[in-house]
Amino acid sequence: MEIPFIDMTATGQNINRMRTEAGMSVKDMQRAFGFATPQAIYKWIHGAAMPTIDNLVILAALFGVTMDDIVIVRTAARKCG
């Protein structure tokens, strides 16, 4: 059985690529989200944390994409039983 999982590292790289393509700095994103510090954004970019669902909605709007375009889902074979 193949079990889907979010590849946090690839998702972070994807967020960083989309940020760059949108011409946004991390500081720009920090302002858009109203964060006091950029730490959460750096955690996303480095794959150490995932944006919450509400922040994914904002990211999708900022980048003009869907949430599915942001999150990288992989599958892994697992034994059942």
Side-chain angles (χ1 to χ4, degrees):
M1 176 177 196
E2 300 229 334
I3 306 295
F5 68 95
I6 295 173
D7 184 330
M8 290 177 49
T9 301
T11 297
Q13 292 168 347
N14 204 29
I15 291 169
N16 199 41
R17 179 186 55 77
M18 290 180 176
R19 176 191 65 79
T20 303
E21 288 175 358
M24 297 183 78
S25 68
V26 171
K27 189 79 168 168
D28 294 332
M29 287 181 65
Q30 177 187 340
R31 280 192 288 268
F33 283 93
F35 295 159
T37 67
Q39 290 173 323
I41 296 164
Y42 283 116
K43 285 181 180 180
W44 302 342
I45 289 171
H46 295 291
M50 285 292 300
T52 59
I53 295 294
D54 56 334
N55 286 337
L56 276 172
V57 170
I58 296 167
L59 280 172
L62 284 174
F63 299 149
V65 299
T66 67
M67 290 190 296
D68 284 342
D69 294 328
I70 296 170
V71 178
I72 306 297
V73 177
R74 308 259 192 236
T75 56
R78 290 185 121 167
K79 291 183 182 177
C80 293

